[in-house]
Amino acid sequence: MYKHIVVPLDGSHNSKLALSEALKLVNQFNAELTLVNVADDKRLIYEVTGTGIANTGGYYKELDEHATAILDEGKKNCDGRRRDS
């Protein structure tokens, strides 16, 4: 029934529960699993100056590191929980 399941992760308890349920479906239907994280860059709106966006102070790097940590944790939670056919 399912061929590909996409799970959005934000580090919350509920996203971890969603991943757990998705892994059950992945195993049941031998589906592919994709983990995603969406970076929220709203904070930049508040840093706009009259000449454009102010120095973001490494904010994009911070977003990337945060997303990478969340996805790495998700991958770690998948290790050993997916059985191969």
Side-chain angles (χ1 to χ4, degrees):
M1 178 179 227
Y2 296 104
K3 293 181 182 179
H4 192 153
I5 299 170
V6 178
V7 180
L9 298 177
D10 62 5
S12 69
H13 176 71
N14 285 341
S15 72
K16 292 173 186 176
L17 291 176
L19 177 56
S20 179
E21 290 302 311
L23 285 168
K24 292 175 189 176
L25 294 171
V26 164
N27 287 325
Q28 182 178 353
F29 295 104
N30 196 30
E32 186 177 340
L33 177 66
T34 300
L35 306 178
V36 297
N37 176 268
V38 177
D40 180 10
D41 65 354
K42 285 189 285 222
R43 191 167 100 185
L44 290 178
I45 294 170
Y46 302 107
E47 296 183 19
V48 173
T49 68
T51 59
I53 296 178
N55 181 351
T56 60
Y59 184 59
Y60 281 115
K61 182 179 179 190
E62 179 185 326
L63 285 175
D64 182 58
E65 290 171 352
H66 181 69
T68 299
I70 289 171
L71 293 172
D72 286 348
E73 181 183 354
K75 289 177 195 174
K76 186 173 129 184
N77 289 335
C78 292
D79 289 346
R81 299 209 38 210
R82 179 159 194 250
R83 61 172 192 259
D84 295 323
S85 299

